[in-house]
Amino acid sequence: MRTLEPTSLDLDTIEVDKLAKGITLSLLIPARGPEAARTLGEIIAQNRQRWMQERSVLDEIGVVVDPSSDGDEHDLVRIATDAGASWVVRGQSVLQRHAGREATITGGKAGAMRSLAYLAFGNRLIFHDADLESYDPYTVGVLAAATTAGNAPLFVNGSSRRVTGDGQPGGRTTEMLRSLLSKQLARYVPSITRTIQPLIGEFVIDADVFAALAFSRGYGVETSLKVLALDLLDYSDSLQVELPIKYQVGQHYHSLVKQFHEISFTIDVLEAYFQRRRVDPHVAIWQIADNYDLLFPGRTYALHRPPGYDETDFVPRMGFYQPLATAPAYQARLPEIKSARRVALDALERRMRTSA
């Protein structure tokens, strides 16, 4: 995994690079919960003004809203619409179109990301969390510049210092995860051990690459997606770049325990997949995930509960979404997607010709 200094990027040439390489950019935001209600509007409004109105960097801003566990949407559809998002949809209204008989309640962030990719038309998908405070739109500018400059890499992972709302350093789950990645996956995907922030929500991935990848339905969505992307791509097609400091609402350690517990199962599945692939190159990772009990007999799903922990049942989500490219609904959308890309690039060319 190459590391790129943001000072080496020329943000003034993004539009030229987009047009020369035929790249369109979609900013995609999965949103849920009261934290997003406080920050989503500002993230959308600032990126729309900086990168769509003052510049022609972004071609669309899409948002998928999922309700919290109590069914509350926290008015996120209205917030995103009023802030100027290009389109806003509820997750349950679109998930089953491309995921089959998927229970919408289990969709979560992974289902929202799949829905965002299904609806977007950009060649490159810029995924972005919805709960960043003291927001700096330079984040999106750096990602856009990194994925359109040079050889236009197909995967760009963000990296930033993370600070919680009370000023404390964040990233506790990330540091624990990096130890697991080194222990279990280094021999199969060495570049993942050099990935500074495998859990960061701000990254860019080529739309065709995303559509070709399976990924976890649970908290392991970013981890599985990035590990499998790095496994698929050549060294020259991926890099990481430093982003502005990420101010994010810190979660209670009870929530972090659940996250890390579930991600650890995703790492198990990835390791088993790479092991099996050596003898069966046609094995699918979702088959491995569906047969976890056979691969690891006797392994318990029980969550160790520290003192004071809630007693809510927690069953880790073991399954993997199959690649989006296998969904007939996505294949049916491809002509519309390609047409939208042509229209966006033609509009960019006209604007640049007019302003010359």
Side-chain angles (χ1 to χ4, degrees):
M1 168 75 83
R2 294 179 294 147
T3 300
L4 186 69
E5 289 295 328
T7 54
S8 68
L9 296 169
D10 186 353
L11 272 64
D12 293 332
T13 65
I14 298 175
E15 290 92 338
V16 173
D17 288 336
K18 283 181 59 182
L19 193 58
K21 295 160 186 167
I23 294 174
T24 49
L25 296 173
S26 299
L27 176 60
L28 305 177
I29 306 175
R32 68 179 298 179
E35 296 84 6
R38 295 197 300 268
T39 55
L40 176 63
E42 190 68 16
I43 292 171
I44 294 171
Q46 288 199 40
N47 279 302
R48 182 172 182 268
Q49 178 177 341
R50 176 78 66 87
W51 305 120
M52 294 185 78
Q53 296 178 325
E54 298 174 5
R55 300 279 300 278
S56 299
V57 169
L58 294 176
D59 296 288
E60 62 176 345
I61 300 176
V63 180
V64 166
V65 171
D66 277 319
S68 303
S69 56
D70 60 1
D72 190 350
E73 290 184 350
H74 299 280
D75 211 20
L76 291 172
V77 172
R78 181 195 60 78
I79 290 170
T81 301
D82 290 350
S86 307
W87 45 267
V88 185
V89 300
R90 291 178 168 87
Q92 63 266 35
S93 71
V94 66
L95 185 62
Q96 291 193 7
R97 291 190 224 166
H98 57 82
R101 295 184 177 181
E102 178 77 15
T104 55
I105 193 171
T106 65
K109 185 176 185 179
M113 290 174 65
R114 202 173 194 267
S115 294
L116 286 161
Y118 167 73
L119 294 169
F121 70 78
N123 303 84
R124 299 286 195 277
L125 311 178
I126 305 176
F127 284 100
H128 197 298
D129 283 346
D131 59 348
L132 306 189
E133 300 178 320
S134 302
Y135 182 69
D136 187 348
Y138 183 68
T139 296
V140 169
V142 170
L143 290 171
T147 197
T148 53
N151 68 330
L154 302 176
F155 171 58
V156 178
N157 200 49
S159 169
S160 66
R161 288 197 300 120
R162 185 179 162 204
V163 178
T164 62
D166 59 2
Q168 298 299 311
R172 291 165 288 178
T173 306
T174 295
E175 291 308 312
M176 292 187 290
L177 172 62
R178 290 178 69 189
S179 296
L180 272 188
L181 294 173
S182 296
K183 177 171 70 75
Q184 294 183 244
L185 300 182
R187 63 187 295 199
Y188 307 109
V189 189
S191 55
I192 194 61
T193 64
R194 296 187 290 274
T195 303
I196 298 171
Q197 286 189 300
L199 288 179
I200 194 170
E202 290 70 47
F203 65 94
V204 190
I205 189 166
D206 177 80
D208 291 336
V209 172
F210 181 96
L213 297 176
F215 53 86
S216 168
R217 284 183 165 91
Y219 288 124
V221 51
E222 286 101 347
T223 302
S224 56
L225 187 65
K226 294 173 185 180
V227 168
L228 293 171
L230 290 171
D231 175 62
L232 175 69
L233 298 173
D234 294 333
Y235 176 80
S236 61
D237 286 328
S238 59
L239 58 82
Q240 59 189 345
V241 63
E242 185 178 355
L243 303 176
I245 294 175
K246 184 173 180 177
Y247 297 93
Q248 196 167 27
V249 177
Q251 297 190 60
H252 193 278
Y253 84 98
H254 288 176
S255 298
L256 298 182
V257 168
K258 290 181 179 180
Q259 290 180 13
F260 188 73
H261 184 68
E262 191 167 87
I263 292 171
S264 71
F265 284 98
T266 300
I267 301 297
D268 287 344
V269 171
L270 288 164
E271 182 183 24
Y273 165 68
F274 290 126
Q275 289 175 343
R276 180 67 65 85
R277 196 176 64 178
R278 290 182 166 183
V279 296
D280 180 6
H282 301 295
V283 68
I285 193 167
W286 56 90
Q287 295 171 333
I288 298 290
D290 290 344
N291 290 282
Y292 187 93
D293 289 325
L294 298 177
L295 293 166
F296 302 99
R299 186 165 293 185
T300 177
Y301 298 114
L303 176 68
H304 173 70
R305 299 175 185 272
Y309 203 88
D310 67 76
E311 295 300 321
T312 305
D313 288 340
F314 179 73
V315 178
R317 290 162 290 184
M318 304 299 302
F320 269 55
Y321 282 112
Q322 294 187 29
L324 182 61
T326 64
Y330 181 70
Q331 291 296 323
R333 266 191 48 74
L334 287 178
E336 180 184 351
I337 289 172
K338 293 175 181 177
S339 175
R341 290 172 181 170
R342 287 194 298 270
V343 170
L345 289 170
D346 287 346
L348 174 59
E349 184 177 22
R350 287 194 301 270
R351 285 194 295 272
M352 292 183 65
R353 195 164 51 234
T354 301
S355 62

